[in-house]
Every structure is written in C-alpha cells, then in structure tokens.
Amino acid sequence: VSGLQDAVAAVVGASHVLADPGLKAGYEVDWTGRHRGEARFVVRPADTAEVAEVVRLCVREGVPIVPQGGRTSFVGGGVPRGGEVLVSLARLGGVEPVDEAAGQVTAGAGATLADVQAAARSAGLFFPLDFGARDAATVGGVLATNAGGNRAFRHGMARALVAGLEAVLPDGGVVSRLAGLPKDNAGYDLVQLLAGSEGTLGIITRARLRLTTHGASVATALIGLPSTAAAVELSTALQRRLPGLDAAELLYANGLELVCAHERLRPPLPHSHAVYLLAEAAAPEGALEALAEALDGLLPSPEHAVVADDTATRERLWRYREGHTEAVSARWTPLKLDVALPVAGLAAFVEELGRVLTAEAFLWGHAGDGNLHVNVVGLDREQEAGITRAVLELVAAHGGSIGAEHGIGIAKREWLHLTRGPDDLAAMRAVKAALDPAGLMNPGVLL
Amino acid sequence: VSGLQDAVAAVVGASHVLADPGLKAGYEVDWTGRHRGEARFVVRPADTAEVAEVVRLCVREGVPIVPQGGRTSFVGGGVPRGGEVLVSLARLGGVEPVDEAAGQVTAGAGATLADVQAAARSAGLFFPLDFGARDAATVGGVLATNAGGNRAFRHGMARALVAGLEAVLPDGGVVSRLAGLPKDNAGYDLVQLLAGSEGTLGIITRARLRLTTHGASVATALIGLPSTAAAVELSTALQRRLPGLDAAELLYANGLELVCAHERLRPPLPHSHAVYLLAEAAAPEGALEALAEALDGLLPSPEHAVVADDTATRERLWRYREGHTEAVSARWTPLKLDVALPVAGLAAFVEELGRVLTAEAFLWGHAGDGNLHVNVVGLDREQEAGITRAVLELVAAHGGSIGAEHGIGIAKREWLHLTRGPDDLAAMRAVKAALDPAGLMNPGVLL
C-alpha cells in the first residue's frame, strides 16, 4: 500500500500526496460535518493525464477511489467512507478564454462556479447555473451531481448546460468530447451519462459549458404571502407574464426569522407573512418596471412586497434566501432532504408534510420547479431514519423526486427504489458494472 | 422459428404479425431505397407491455430485433439487415392531452412529429422540433435517433426536448420515467442514454416532451448571397439581432434550380445567386417588421431578398428548402452525408469540400448550427466508399461531426472512430454489452 502511495507520488509529485492526518483532515469531511471518513491518502493531480495515471495505479492495486470537488454536496458523495484514495480535482482549475462565436467556454474540473460565471460576464455572456455555494462548488462537482439551483426552472440544470466534457473512466481510459458541436449524433451520450453519475462512472476533468445572454437590467422582489398555494400561484403567474423571470424562490417565516437573527438583518417587510416568494427578472432594460407591472394586481397591498433594482437592496433580499443554509447549520446539523414535486402539487404536499414532520423543520426551495429543501432539526439518528422514510415515501406517493438537485450520494441510496423501478435499477447497475467491474470508483455512492 | 411467430401472434393477435412477403415489403426498405433487408416477420404490438413480451420471446429464441418508426432515417438503422423480427411501433400512436401547467405532453412512440406539433398548437403551445419529414417521422424514431432539424440551433435537438420516456430494454425489462419533473437527480440518465442510441439499447415506447411558447407572428425571408461565408455571416448577425430567429437554412444555386424544375416553381428572386439563406423569425407580434429591420443594412440591395409573413408566400419559400430531399431523390439515390462543422469554420470547409468532391453534389443545411447535408450523385458503390472516406476525414480534420443529426446507423458505423477515441468507443461497447449481452437489439447499427 505504501507502494501505491510512492507510485502515485512519482506521477503527481510528492508534495501533492497528503498522508499526514492533519493535512488530510480538511478533505475528509463535508461542509455540513455530517459525512466524513478516513482516506488512505489524498492526491492532488494537475491534469487529466495525471488523473488517468493515478486511476490506473489504484485499479492495479484494487484500491477504491473517491473523487472530490468543492465538498459542498449534502449527500456525502464527495468524502471518503474509509480507506479510499481521495482524488482532489482542486488543481485542475482554470477557465479558458470564452469562445464567443460558439457561446461556450471550456473549464477545468477544479474551477469554481463563480470562476465560470465571472469568465462569462467578462465576455458579455452569462452562465445561468447558480446557487449559494458558487464560490466553493467546482465545475467537476457541479456536473457530477447535475446541480440545479435558482435558475434551473428557466435554463435547466447542469446537464442542460454542458456541451461536452473530458473524463477519466474507472479503468483509467479517457473520454474527451470537448468540441461542443450543437449537432453531433455519433454514439451514446456519454457526456450525459457521466453528468449526474456522482463520480461512480468516472472522474470529470474538464467541461465545455454553454453560455447564454442575460439582460443588463435586473430587478428583485420579495413578496409576503399567506400560503404555499398563494406563492406557487404567484410564481406561475409571473412565469407567464415575464419571459425574463429568472428566479422564483420560496421562503417560510421561521427560516426568514432565523436568517434575520443569524445575520442581524431587519425583516424585509413591515409585517410578517407565512410564506415569501423571492422573484427576480432580467431584461435588456427596464426590469424594475417590468417586474412591478407583472406584480400589479396580484398583491393585496403594495406593503406586501419590496421591489428593487439597486445592487445593495437586491443583495440584501438574496441574503434572506441564501442565508438559510448557513443559519440552520450554525445551530444544528440538520437532516437535509432535497425533494421535488410537480409544481401543481407542491402546496398539497407541503400541507401533508406538516402532519409527517414531528420535529422542528425549516423549508425553503425553488417554487419555479417544485424543488423543496426540507431541513429537520433536533433529531437523533433513529428519529432521522424514520422521518427520512416518511418524507420520501410521501414524495413518491405525490409523484415527486427523492433527490431533486442534491442527488442520492450515500444519504439516499437505500431509497432509490421509491421512484425507480426494478428494471430501471437493474439497468443502472448493469451500466455501473460494465464501466467499473471492480467497483472501485466512488463505491457506496448512488447504487 | 415458426414457434416464435406463433408465440408472438398469441401476444399481439395474428393479424398484427406479417410474414407474407407482399405484406412485409413496405417495412423492409427505407424511404430512400438505399437500405433494405428481409425481416423474419413484422410484428405490430399495441402497447409497451406487448413490446416487452415480444422482446422477451425473441431473446428466449436468440432472434435479433429491429425496431421501426417512420422509416425516414437516412442511415439504415430502422430497416432489417436480414433475418430479424421487425417491431413496428406504428400502433403505439396517440398524444395525451397537453399538461399545460408543466408545459409538457406525453405521446406514444408511433405518433408522428406532426401529431405532436398539432397537439401543442391546439393548447396554445409549441413543439419546436421540426424537419421536412414531420408527417411520417415518429416520436420513437425522432428520439431514438436524436433528430435535429430547422430549429435545433435555438431549441436544441430531440435530446434537449425530452423530459422522460418509457422504453423496453433488450432483456424485455421496462424503464418508465414519464413524470417529467424539472429536477430529478436519482441515478444515471437512462433517458438521455436511450435517446440517440438508435434502437441499440432498447425500444422507446412513449415519451414525455417539453413544449414551449412561440410567437403568433411569423415572418420568413429568402436572401440571395454571393458565398457560404456571406450566408454564415448573415446568419450569425441575425442571431444576434433577432432573439426570435427560428431558422437559418442554407441553400445553393444548383439545388434551388433542381427544386424549381421538380416542383415547377418560379425562382424566388429576380437574379440567381450562388448561395441562399432562408431565415424565419417568430414574435408575439410584428415579426415581419422585426425581420426586415434586422436585415436592414446587411443586404447590398432589396432585390436580393424576399420577406413575407403571409402563409402562401412563407410556404412557397419553405418549399425551396424542403423540396431538396425529394427533388434529388426523384432523380438519383444520392450518397447522403450529414455532417456538422463549427459554425465559424463552415465556409472554409465548404471550399475545401469542392476539391474533394469529384462528382456532382447538392449541398444544403442549417447555417445556424453548422449542419451541412452533402448529397453526391452519379457514383457507383466503390466511388461512394472513396468519397465517403474523403469527406468524413475532412470533417474530422476540421473538428466536425460525421453524424450531425441523422446518426450513424449502418451507413457510418465504420467511420465512428474518426471522432470518437478508442477509450470512448470501448466505453460505448461496454454499455451496449451490459444492456444487450446477446447483441440482439438492432444488431449492426452504430457499433
């Protein structure tokens, strides 16, 4: 085994192999502190060729591998279970110059989401994938988990935004499809198969990403509402009225209060409301007027909304939403269940959820695509198992998804059967066995 | 073997099993007449369960299967090579009521593209996938081949428009993912794996399709230009100026003349031009004015363009483009090579292509996404092989795709290695072997 470490060090350089417990520690736990495990050692390769060579060495020794991006996953897919070689993609950063003719950009797996967004902006273009962990989440992780976020209801999730990728397969082979051609029907879509496979079919090392344009004028509104049903109705109406609607986020009173306390923010509106919708619209010009006009007649009173296009107010409104994860995690290690429902059935689901949740819970999510983040606090592990089962079974009964945008990872593996049939699961297992017969690539995740 | 036929007849009814040569004949040849073969017999199941049972019976007997949609493929993937059971999906038609809340519709594999377009329109929505064979091409075939067409540069190919599907796997198992949830990260994307797999990984029986909205006002222009470079430049400029640009089609003088002769159409413009761009724009209102304004300053003279929003003229302009396939096929059985180039390199490719093509050729295609249809006529089979190699090698050298929107099928299988590396091909073969270990599902196609 120390032979493997030496061989790996010969490939990447000794300074990029970390075996000291103190140096490894930061890689062995996820952001929430819920998922952790001890890695055999950590390796930080510099490029695709080094990743491939490391994988081949591990395969030769029969040693399992965990690929790691920005450690912002909530389902434990990017940290060790114990005994794996942890392959950090952090050094595969870098964003190439934007290809303006194609409206695409190629980035390394270790580039952050914010890096890609900035590169797009500097070329007058826009990378629409966005969520709170943008400064830490990496291109590789974003694609491996098919991340979603605030704008997915309009622009799609990561899978819709990837035009190509390069990846190291479980046998050390390399697939490189980075041309980004809009039409290229030449065989199975390995790009889409690897995207969302949570590191179980290979290690994504580079990606070709689709960019779009975005209005320079952006306006944001936070609207107080009496119920989930009212928020969904408003979100749906805004989507119809405003082609430039770019976000429709759902907040609840208890979460908003927690964020205000944690970040010492004043409440957004004169009165408290049961539910809040955070809406954002972008347009070439006049987004504020367009958003105000779209809201006209849909609110009982102007006092129920704040609408702004100045940066300071917009950033404050987004803090109410994006502060949720941190505010909850600062006090608890919550049970995080990320689910999606058909939008038309979201309100009914939330109502039934109230009967199932026997402990304090904070809900927030994305009204535009029916994606709800259920955070339950103050449970012991046994209670967590019971609540998990009850919530996910309820989701399945409502025709929803048990892993909307966070994926399955370690956390939900045993529940995959709730929404995937036996033949479907068998097909997924067959694909996994075909590409990773020894089962060494991120074992224990997903399947 | 007649035991298999009896067993299949017991599942679907004897009247839906065709073994008589006269009855089979129409199923055994593709639209072009180039690809043909004798089927063991033809079976016309009525639903997913019957397809699954037929597949299980064939697997038990070790008999290969060819799934068939509308027979409009140009690469031979939907007709027999010889001795297969031909599974026609024609009876799995039907389009369910449009789900307006989700902006989606579920359709059977046998529904035509035109059926889906009509269903969308009747609900005030729009299915953007479109190409000339819309009245014959079916949902199953469109998805199995990842069809592209006129609007792919804006709305994506079939893969981008499928939210879910139901399919029978090569072992007779059934995958059903028809919920169409915008966010559903629960395992490998079997939907995208089956889409574009050309019937080699299973038989698509139903699909959940994404709809969009479309401006009620539509305007079309046909513009004469001196060169491919000028057409690409104009197409790119229009894409920037006109967010509602919906088509940017490329035509050449010799093809246009052939269409005019074949359909007895008068020429579209007072003078002849080397190249033509067919542009279409849609908007809630005023598409004609928007298109005319966008063209302003980009043309040497108003005489170089006809711009119209009346249905009769628009349909005539489209006939100049869509008549190409029929006009060429009426006189020859052309060698059809469907390739794509990076848009910025399309003109340079066409110039070099002229040196490679030693026989008469008709070119047309989609300027918006660099997709060129190369139709070479008057060659014998040996000459065809030489031209195929020369053109596809040139495409690969220019960073293009050898199978842009028609796929690989039988016709281009031996050329797949030009743009897919050995590890990539090995991964595709591993996936195929995992799901179809006996190799009975559309054998000889793609891999």
Side-chain angles (χ1 to χ4, degrees):
Chain A
V1 167
S2 81
L4 175 62
Q5 191 179 318
D6 291 345
V8 167
V11 172
V12 303
S15 64
H16 297 300
V17 177
L18 315 176
D20 180 273
L23 295 176
K24 285 193 307 174
Y27 297 83
E28 294 177 325
V29 59
D30 72 353
W31 183 86
T32 66
R34 173 177 289 269
H35 298 281
R36 62 174 73 234
E38 207 172 309
R40 188 177 296 242
F41 56 84
V42 172
V43 53
R44 295 162 45 90
D47 56 28
T48 302
E50 286 190 9
V51 173
E53 192 53 34
V54 169
V55 168
R56 283 192 285 266
L57 290 168
C58 290
V59 169
R60 207 174 63 192
E61 302 290 323
V63 173
I65 294 163
V66 173
Q68 185 175 90
R71 292 186 308 111
T72 59
S73 161
F74 290 133
V75 291
V79 289
R81 272 64 74 192
E84 304 92 341
V85 169
L86 192 157
V87 179
S88 164
L89 282 305
R91 288 178 67 217
L92 280 84
V95 181
E96 293 183 11
V98 169
D99 180 343
E100 295 185 39
Q104 297 177 345
V105 69
T106 301
T112 66
L113 181 50
D115 291 339
V116 176
Q117 291 173 343
R121 262 195 308 272
S122 73
L125 291 167
F126 183 66
F127 187 56
L129 194 77
D130 191 46
F131 50 86
R134 62 186 71 83
D135 293 315
T138 59
V139 164
V142 155
L143 290 179
T145 60
N146 188 28
N150 310 328
R151 299 197 182 99
F153 77 96
R154 180 169 170 205
H155 300 276
M157 300 178 74
R159 273 185 182 134
L161 300 171
V162 61
L165 53 74
E166 187 166 271
V168 176
L169 298 174
D171 65 357
V174 175
V175 167
S176 190
R177 295 192 185 181
L178 289 168
L181 294 164
K183 287 182 175 170
D184 188 19
N185 273 347
Y188 305 148
D189 197 341
L190 298 183
V191 171
Q192 293 296 337
L193 182 63
L194 286 158
S197 69
E198 305 192 23
T200 63
L201 299 180
I203 304 178
I204 295 169
T205 54
R206 289 168 83 200
R208 180 88 174 165
L209 303 166
R210 293 186 219 282
L211 307 177
T212 183
T213 53
H214 195 239
S217 172
V218 181
T220 309
L222 189 71
I223 304 130
L225 294 151
S227 66
T228 308
V232 169
E233 196 181 324
L234 180 59
S235 160
T236 305
L238 287 177
Q239 278 184 70
R240 269 201 219 99
R241 289 181 177 199
L242 263 180
L245 189 75
D246 226 21
E249 300 283 299
L250 194 60
L251 293 72
Y252 287 83
N254 66 339
L256 183 67
E257 283 160 24
L258 193 74
V259 171
C260 288
H262 183 66
E263 304 208 11
R264 295 166 189 266
L265 291 170
R266 60 184 161 81
L269 295 170
H271 305 285
S272 184
H273 300 263
V275 184
Y276 297 83
L277 189 76
L278 179 73
E280 185 159 282
E285 54 188 24
L288 186 70
E289 294 72 19
L291 182 54
E293 193 182 319
L295 284 169
D296 190 41
L298 297 178
L299 303 181
S301 143
E303 278 200 350
H304 289 221
V306 48
V307 191
D309 67 352
D310 65 287
T311 304
T313 309
R314 289 186 48 241
E315 283 180 354
R316 183 170 57 84
L317 295 181
W318 272 101
R319 281 314 304 163
Y320 293 119
R321 165 64 183 86
E322 296 200 329
H324 273 68
T325 302
E326 280 169 49
V328 171
S329 296
R331 241 176 102 177
W332 300 279
T333 300
L335 171 66
K336 298 184 85 72
L337 297 171
D338 162 52
V339 302
L341 285 302
V343 173
L346 185 62
F349 172 82
V350 170
E351 195 164 315
E352 281 198 51
L353 186 66
R355 288 180 221 128
V356 164
L357 292 176
T358 52
E360 189 176 11
F362 297 89
L363 307 182
W364 63 88
H366 312 282
D369 48 35
N371 181 190
L372 195 70
H373 299 307
V374 180
N375 287 252
V376 196
V377 301
L379 303 175
D380 64 30
R381 286 280 161 144
E382 198 183 323
Q383 291 169 318
E384 284 189 347
I387 291 281
T388 299
R389 173 193 287 270
V391 172
L392 298 186
E393 285 180 351
L394 188 65
V395 167
H398 281 251
S401 170
I402 64 155
E405 62 177 12
H406 295 171
I408 300 301
I410 301 294
K412 292 181 181 168
R413 192 180 46 166
E414 64 178 305
W415 306 108
L416 197 49
H417 67 92
L418 287 176
T419 61
R420 295 288 181 249
D423 296 345
D424 190 315
L425 288 168
M428 289 198 266
R429 285 197 198 97
V431 169
K432 168 71 174 172
L435 295 180
D436 184 18
L440 297 176
M441 191 55 79
N442 221 8
V445 168
L446 191 48
L447 290 174
Chain B
V1 167
S2 81
L4 175 62
Q5 190 179 319
D6 291 346
V8 166
V11 172
V12 302
S15 64
H16 298 300
V17 177
L18 314 176
D20 180 273
L23 295 177
K24 284 193 305 174
Y27 297 83
E28 294 177 323
V29 59
D30 72 352
W31 183 86
T32 66
R34 174 176 289 271
H35 298 281
R36 61 175 72 235
E38 208 172 311
R40 187 177 296 245
F41 57 84
V42 172
V43 52
R44 295 162 44 91
D47 56 28
T48 303
E50 286 190 8
V51 173
E53 192 54 34
V54 169
V55 169
R56 282 191 287 266
L57 290 168
C58 290
V59 169
R60 206 174 64 192
E61 303 289 325
V63 173
I65 295 164
V66 172
Q68 185 176 90
R71 292 186 308 112
T72 59
S73 162
F74 291 134
V75 292
V79 288
R81 271 65 73 193
E84 304 93 340
V85 169
L86 192 157
V87 179
S88 164
L89 283 305
R91 289 178 68 217
L92 280 84
V95 182
E96 293 183 10
V98 169
D99 180 343
E100 295 185 39
Q104 297 176 346
V105 69
T106 302
T112 66
L113 181 51
D115 290 340
V116 175
Q117 291 173 344
R121 263 195 308 272
S122 73
L125 291 166
F126 183 68
F127 187 57
L129 194 77
D130 190 47
F131 49 86
R134 61 185 72 83
D135 293 315
T138 60
V139 165
V142 155
L143 290 178
T145 60
N146 187 30
N150 310 328
R151 299 197 182 97
F153 76 96
R154 180 169 171 206
H155 301 276
M157 299 178 75
R159 272 185 182 132
L161 300 170
V162 61
L165 52 75
E166 187 166 272
V168 175
L169 299 174
D171 65 357
V174 175
V175 167
S176 191
R177 296 192 185 179
L178 290 169
L181 295 164
K183 287 181 175 170
D184 187 19
N185 273 347
Y188 306 147
D189 197 341
L190 298 183
V191 171
Q192 293 297 337
L193 183 62
L194 286 158
S197 70
E198 305 192 21
T200 64
L201 299 180
I203 303 177
I204 295 169
T205 54
R206 288 168 83 199
R208 179 87 173 165
L209 302 167
R210 294 185 218 281
L211 307 177
T212 182
T213 53
H214 196 239
S217 173
V218 181
T220 309
L222 190 72
I223 305 131
L225 294 152
S227 65
T228 307
V232 168
E233 196 182 323
L234 180 58
S235 160
T236 305
L238 288 177
Q239 277 183 71
R240 270 201 218 98
R241 291 184 175 196
L242 264 181
L245 189 75
D246 226 23
E249 301 283 298
L250 194 60
L251 293 72
Y252 287 84
N254 66 338
L256 183 68
E257 282 160 25
L258 193 74
V259 171
C260 288
H262 182 66
E263 304 207 12
R264 294 166 190 267
L265 291 170
R266 58 184 160 83
L269 295 170
H271 305 286
S272 182
H273 300 263
V275 184
Y276 298 82
L277 189 75
L278 178 73
E280 185 160 281
E285 55 188 24
L288 185 71
E289 294 73 16
L291 183 53
E293 193 182 319
L295 285 169
D296 190 43
L298 298 178
L299 303 182
S301 144
E303 278 199 353
H304 289 221
V306 48
V307 191
D309 67 353
D310 66 287
T311 304
T313 310
R314 289 187 47 243
E315 283 179 355
R316 183 170 58 85
L317 295 181
W318 273 102
R319 280 314 304 164
Y320 294 120
R321 163 65 183 88
E322 296 199 330
H324 272 68
T325 302
E326 281 169 48
V328 171
S329 295
R331 241 177 101 175
W332 301 279
T333 301
L335 171 67
K336 297 184 85 73
L337 297 171
D338 162 52
V339 303
L341 285 302
V343 173
L346 185 62
F349 171 82
V350 170
E351 195 164 315
E352 281 198 50
L353 186 65
R355 286 180 224 128
V356 164
L357 292 177
T358 51
E360 189 176 9
F362 296 90
L363 308 182
W364 63 88
H366 313 282
D369 47 35
N371 182 189
L372 195 69
H373 299 306
V374 180
N375 287 253
V376 195
V377 300
L379 303 174
D380 63 30
R381 285 280 161 144
E382 198 183 323
Q383 291 168 319
E384 284 188 347
I387 292 280
T388 299
R389 171 194 288 270
V391 172
L392 299 186
E393 285 180 350
L394 188 65
V395 167
H398 281 252
S401 169
I402 64 155
E405 62 178 11
H406 295 170
I408 300 300
I410 300 294
K412 292 182 183 167
R413 191 180 47 166
E414 64 178 305
W415 305 108
L416 197 49
H417 67 91
L418 287 176
T419 61
R420 295 290 181 246
D423 296 345
D424 190 315
L425 288 169
M428 290 199 264
R429 284 197 198 98
V431 169
K432 167 70 175 174
L435 296 180
D436 183 18
L440 298 176
M441 191 55 79
N442 221 8
V445 168
L446 189 50
L447 291 173

